[in-house]
Amino acid sequence: MRQNGGPGKEPQSMKSMEPIFSLRFSLPERTAGRSSGGMLRSVHTQLRSAIQDGRLKAGLQLPPSRTLARTLGVSRNTVLAAYDLLLSEGYLRARRGAGTYVEDVRSKLAGRVTRVGSDRPAAINEFWRRPPPMIGADKRRWRYDFGVGPPDVSQFPFVTWRRLAGRAMRSLAKETAGSAESQGRPALRAAIATHVSFTRAIACEPDDIIVTAGAQQAFDVLARVLVTPGRTVVALEEAHYASLRHLLGATGARLAMVPLDDEGIVTERIPARASVVCVTPSHQFPLGPSMSLQRRLSLLRFARDRNACIIEDDYDGEYRFDGRPLDALQTLDSDGRVFYVGTFSKSMFTSLRLGYIVAPAWARAALVAAKHLIDRHSAVQTQDALASFIAEGHLARHVRKMTRIYAERRDLLLDALSRYCGDQLAPIASSAGLHITAKLLAPTPAEAIRSRAAEVGVKVQSVDQCCIGPPPLNGITFGYGSIATQTVDAGIRLLAGVIDKEHRRTRRR
Amino acid sequence: MRQNGGPGKEPQSMKSMEPIFSLRFSLPERTAGRSSGGMLRSVHTQLRSAIQDGRLKAGLQLPPSRTLARTLGVSRNTVLAAYDLLLSEGYLRARRGAGTYVEDVRSKLAGRVTRVGSDRPAAINEFWRRPPPMIGADKRRWRYDFGVGPPDVSQFPFVTWRRLAGRAMRSLAKETAGSAESQGRPALRAAIATHVSFTRAIACEPDDIIVTAGAQQAFDVLARVLVTPGRTVVALEEAHYASLRHLLGATGARLAMVPLDDEGIVTERIPARASVVCVTPSHQFPLGPSMSLQRRLSLLRFARDRNACIIEDDYDGEYRFDGRPLDALQTLDSDGRVFYVGTFSKSMFTSLRLGYIVAPAWARAALVAAKHLIDRHSAVQTQDALASFIAEGHLARHVRKMTRIYAERRDLLLDALSRYCGDQLAPIASSAGLHITAKLLAPTPAEAIRSRAAEVGVKVQSVDQCCIGPPPLNGITFGYGSIATQTVDAGIRLLAGVIDKEHRRTRRR
């Protein structure tokens, strides 16, 4: 197991070790007397987050495994295994005979090297001095890409799209060269209002809609308007879309992580002080289930009782594979407390950069003014082309077609998981969207599997990546938006081998 | 003078009057014993700002003119004239025989009515509960539009632009349907780097450039990265682009207003605690002069000594009418302290929504990560079309052509100002850009003239609109981007009549 000399060979300078001891570890209770996989996962995740966040700085020497094990009250093998995992993932670097050091991953994560001058102005604020990793900016070509996010664009009707965009462009002259409406082009808002009424049973008027540069900007506009830096408490599902957390963090929100169970967010566990609650009711991100009706009503009750509001992120709800969808929170809400956020990144293509908010009346003027202040308005020609694309029925047709394609791919994925990984992974039931999460049946950390799989060209996600604390379950997330249908089987077969090997490694420890 | 029954007819409820007395008025020193135009301007501006900001709420009854005059230590006539002005501008409303009230201008300014529910969630933060007015969102058709901002698009080569956009669109398929680079498309960054090297002598690499959705988003990205809410002091020129101030305010910056003189920002007056200084060196906005070389060097020295950085807003510097431009601050800076912000809104058209930052290396990773977090990337097709438009020389050609057209229009404007307003207005010398500011020779408030001119269909700006305190001078700003050359003369002649009438009104007081 130990490689490269490993940590703990040299006398350590206590000064350089201090930061690691000042980390607050939250470890699971030990039910048995021995180091379990859960304990390893927990130590590993927390060290990794500390490195990613910059709490453990690049170049820092780690303490000997024995010392850290004693401090944490875990077995030395657990610490060794965690170090080993971090070495293999590139978060640590071993210097021959000279101990283990924190690797400079932050600049790599940010996609470029930060050249810091000797006399750098003090003006970069705390948050941006250590920027969060850029999610979705990964440009690697994968052999088997189970990445979550981008949809399949091979079937997208680009010919139609180009025709509509061309038409929108021909009218681009004097009239549209000035500033457009910050709230969004009226024709697009009308098209979206009709679209969401049909697909999501959301009763809204064009006036209720604010067009944004993708869901990401929708979250940004909402965060800016709803968050008072340092004061507002925002509740997130304990497993969530990391970019949303980063955005809220950048705005100065105080974040509270709320546990999830089979029915969704556990409403009784939302802190009473939370004034904003962010949820993914159609298709929990990343776990998959949809929120039960009971829970939806209880969340709306919470909002009413506590005078809070809700951000309903419906990022891929248009793809449904069985059953009738439950009513959106926005539809159930009679009280003007829900901000419904939709996007066309999944139903069309990622670089379109158009999304929208369906907002209650009381907040609309502020949201439009915020959109106006931050970038005036979204791309006029693209808005006009999208308005026609929706109004002429192309979007509905494309979603219908893709639902069939994704359903087939999803079935193949579930088949392959049961065939090759039946005793390793238990998929979590879910009936919508473009990904599936499966729980690992053995205690081998999902992060270790993700990282080994990446080495052989298979991209998967671990649930840990969507959490800051210990994840609600040890699981792997498979996107089926980008992968070619005919390669699903081979990809999962390859992964099964990786999992098997990793299980054996873990058991040996 | 008094209309509509006027204020002060009815007994006042002291409770409703309190807010106006808690405003802090800063009045000019009286050199003579009588109420001067300066005093009127000051009372008027400060009441108006308080109404715009919502410090004086809609529906509030104003105190009798006599009472306010006594409290402020000014003549009753000054207060009456200020009330009268605010009535004519629509900030106040007189109820027949029942006093004067604050009009509900904020919801109008925001462009729509805020429907506030009876049980509105408490989540909107302080700043956005009273959103700033949406600058540039005015859709009125003016008889004579001397508005500052939009350029003349009648000469823009839309045919070429559509061809390039069409070409960019044809390549829009699988490859560009995924996420693009958050920093901006490489071809566009290369084109911009070449462009600014030629036009502004800014030596930079494609890597130094971050593409944004217009200058407005450039400011937003910078504010987010450089400002720590509630702590960072940002210095602004005392007369400035109001949208920049709003953006900084929304981010939680502490703002400091710095006096201007003929050479630009008075560097000795920048507070030592300022860590960001925002300036418009090529063409002070809105006054017009360019910053002297002396002052540029002294500002860079300030930044070095105080470990501060500088945002150089070069919003219309490509249009120069005489003389060689002074080196940009960015060019003079050897210390990595200047963020240069450029835009294509003035050299092309407003709805293009593309601008850029030339950033020092130490801040780039943070800025790119911030851009990634807030909206991922700007419109791909538009970026690609713009890259070709610059690289194939169309931008340079268009700017050359427009410089000739604007120079002619500018000469006509200066001629007309001297012919019709020679004893009313003294234009401030300036050799670049798309607007001119002229100082009023009589003490009639520029705001009164602006508002009367609007009534007869002439759009001009007052310097007050760019200030939160008393303006550095009583002046009117004329944009010549949008107005047709052949109507300049008639517009100024009409304005001269308005100024004359307003002078006589003021003198009668």
Side-chain angles (χ1 to χ4, degrees), chain A residues 219-360:
Chain A
F219 298 138
D220 188 33
V221 171
L222 287 168
R224 296 182 73 131
V225 168
L226 301 177
V227 170
T228 299
R231 287 231 300 274
T232 305
V233 175
V234 178
L236 284 176
E237 294 166 316
E238 60 178 331
H240 51 257
Y241 181 48
S243 257
L244 173 59
R245 181 182 79 235
H246 298 148
L247 202 45
L248 290 164
T251 319
R254 292 163 60 196
L255 301 178
M257 299 298 145
V258 184
L260 289 159
D261 65 15
D262 298 349
E263 297 189 60
I265 195 167
V266 181
T267 39
E268 309 91 84
R269 301 283 298 276
I270 303 173
R273 303 156 310 148
S275 47
V276 182
V277 185
C278 302
V279 287
T280 46
S282 304
H283 187 217
Q284 204 286 326
F285 189 87
L287 303 185
S290 80
M291 194 186 293
S292 71
L293 181 61
Q294 208 62 18
R295 219 41 91 64
R296 288 175 198 234
L297 297 173
S298 136
L299 180 56
L300 288 168
R301 213 155 36 232
F302 172 90
R304 199 169 49 240
D305 294 350
R306 299 294 176 180
N307 201 22
C309 56
I310 299 167
I311 296 178
E312 175 172 29
D313 174 11
D314 198 8
Y315 59 100
D316 66 0
E318 42 295 75
Y319 297 115
R320 288 205 61 81
F321 306 109
D322 38 58
R324 210 181 126 265
L326 288 170
D327 281 339
L329 281 171
Q330 203 277 352
T331 312
L332 298 169
D333 172 29
S334 55
D335 211 30
R337 300 194 172 272
V338 175
F339 295 87
Y340 176 94
V341 174
T343 173
F344 298 97
S345 295
K346 305 271 188 281
S347 53
M348 295 178 61
F349 52 93
T350 312
S351 75
L352 183 70
R353 307 309 313 135
L354 285 177
Y356 56 94
I357 308 170
V358 183

Side-chain angles (χ1 to χ4, degrees), chain B residues 387-426:
Chain B
S388 310
F389 193 77
I390 299 173
E392 296 176 13
H394 303 293
L395 179 62
R397 202 169 308 128
H398 180 61
V399 167
R400 269 200 307 278
K401 178 180 178 186
M402 292 313 294
T403 304
R404 283 194 303 274
I405 292 174
Y406 291 136
E408 187 200 344
R409 204 177 289 169
R410 188 167 170 277
D411 288 346
L412 270 172
L413 173 61
L414 288 168
D415 280 358
L417 285 173
S418 118
R419 184 158 47 246
Y420 305 115
C421 311
D423 51 355
Q424 298 166 332
L425 289 168

Side-chain angles (χ1 to χ4, degrees), chain A residues 28-40 69 72-78 509:
Chain A
E29 276 179 47
R30 268 170 307 175
T31 42
R34 63 198 176 78
S35 151
S36 70
M39 192 67 81
L40 164 58
L72 299 181
V74 302
S75 80
R76 188 180 166 218
N77 274 339
T78 301
R509 270 170 202 150

Side-chain angles (χ1 to χ4, degrees), chain B residues 273-389:
Chain B
R273 302 156 311 150
S275 48
V276 182
V277 186
C278 302
V279 287
T280 46
S282 305
H283 186 218
Q284 204 285 326
F285 188 86
L287 302 185
S290 80
M291 195 186 292
S292 71
L293 181 61
Q294 208 61 20
R295 216 42 89 65
R296 287 174 198 237
L297 297 173
S298 135
L299 180 56
L300 288 168
R301 211 152 40 230
F302 171 91
R304 199 168 51 242
D305 294 350
R306 299 293 175 178
N307 201 22
C309 55
I310 298 168
I311 297 178
E312 175 172 30
D313 174 11
D314 198 7
Y315 58 99
D316 65 2
E318 44 292 77
Y319 297 115
R320 287 205 60 83
F321 306 109
D322 39 58
R324 208 180 127 269
L326 288 170
D327 281 340
L329 281 170
Q330 203 276 353
T331 313
L332 297 168
D333 172 29
S334 55
D335 211 30
R337 300 195 172 271
V338 175
F339 296 86
Y340 175 95
V341 174
T343 174
F344 298 98
S345 295
K346 304 271 188 280
S347 52
M348 294 179 60
F349 53 92
T350 312
S351 75
L352 183 70
R353 306 310 312 136
L354 285 177
Y356 57 93
I357 308 170
V358 183
W362 57 267
R364 228 174 287 144
L367 294 170
V368 173
K371 167 73 183 168
H372 180 81
L373 191 61
I374 65 182
D375 73 355
R376 297 293 185 243
H377 59 77
S378 293
V380 175
Q381 186 205 338
T382 316
Q383 288 191 64
D384 290 353
L386 178 56
S388 310
F389 193 77

Side-chain angles (χ1 to χ4, degrees), chain B residues 41 425 438-447 463-464 471-476:
Chain B
R41 200 160 68 233
L425 289 168
K439 196 171 162 3
L440 274 155
L441 297 172
T444 312
E447 253 307 287
V463 172
D464 313 53
L473 58 87
N474 186 30
I476 293 182

Side-chain angles (χ1 to χ4, degrees), chain A residues 125 139 176 179 224 243 351, chain B residues 125 139 176 179 224 351 376:
Chain A
N125 63 34
K139 287 283 168 212
T176 46
S179 328
R224 296 182 73 131
S243 257
S351 75
Chain B
N125 64 33
K139 288 283 168 210
T176 47
S179 327
R224 297 182 74 130
S351 75
R376 297 293 185 243

Side-chain angles (χ1 to χ4, degrees), chain A residues 110 112-117 119-128 131-137 139 153-154 158 161-162 165-166 169-174 176-183 207-208 213 216-217 220 223-229 241 243 246-247 250-251 275-276 304 307-309 335-337 349-353 361-366 368-370 372-377 379-382, chain B residues 110 112-117 119-128 131-137 139 153-154 158 161-162 165-166 169-174 176-183 207-208 213 216-217 220 223-229 241 243 246-247 250-251 275-276 304 307-309 335-337 349-353 361-366 368-370 372-377 379-382:
Chain A
R112 46 182 299 115
V113 179
T114 320
R115 280 174 274 153
V116 177
D119 190 17
R120 152 182 134 159
I124 289 195
N125 63 34
E126 194 58 27
F127 185 90
W128 288 106
M134 302 207 286
I135 288 164
K139 287 283 168 212
V153 294
S154 67
F158 282 109
W161 177 252
R162 280 195 292 261
M169 197 167 54
R170 278 190 295 282
S171 68
L172 176 72
K174 251 182 146 172
T176 46
S179 328
E181 308 78 354
S182 297
Q183 188 171 358
D207 227 27
D208 301 328
Q216 196 63 18
Q217 191 186 52
D220 188 33
R224 296 182 73 131
V225 168
L226 301 177
V227 170
T228 299
Y241 181 48
S243 257
H246 298 148
L247 202 45
T251 319
S275 47
V276 182
R304 199 169 49 240
N307 201 22
C309 56
D335 211 30
R337 300 194 172 272
F349 52 93
T350 312
S351 75
L352 183 70
R353 307 309 313 135
W362 57 267
R364 228 175 285 143
V368 173
H372 180 81
L373 190 62
I374 65 183
D375 73 353
R376 298 293 186 241
H377 59 78
V380 175
Q381 186 205 337
T382 316
Chain B
R112 45 182 300 116
V113 179
T114 321
R115 281 175 273 155
V116 176
D119 190 16
R120 152 182 135 161
I124 289 194
N125 64 33
E126 194 59 26
F127 185 89
W128 288 106
M134 302 207 285
I135 288 166
K139 288 283 168 210
V153 293
S154 67
F158 282 110
W161 177 253
R162 281 194 291 260
M169 198 168 53
R170 278 190 294 283
S171 70
L172 176 72
K174 250 182 145 168
T176 47
S179 327
E181 308 78 354
S182 297
Q183 189 171 358
D207 227 28
D208 301 327
Q216 195 63 19
Q217 192 187 51
D220 188 33
R224 297 182 74 130
V225 167
L226 301 177
V227 170
T228 299
Y241 181 48
S243 257
H246 298 149
L247 202 45
T251 318
S275 48
V276 182
R304 199 168 51 242
N307 201 22
C309 55
D335 211 30
R337 300 195 172 271
F349 53 92
T350 312
S351 75
L352 183 70
R353 306 310 312 136
W362 57 267
R364 228 174 287 144
V368 173
H372 180 81
L373 191 61
I374 65 182
D375 73 355
R376 297 293 185 243
H377 59 77
V380 175
Q381 186 205 338
T382 316

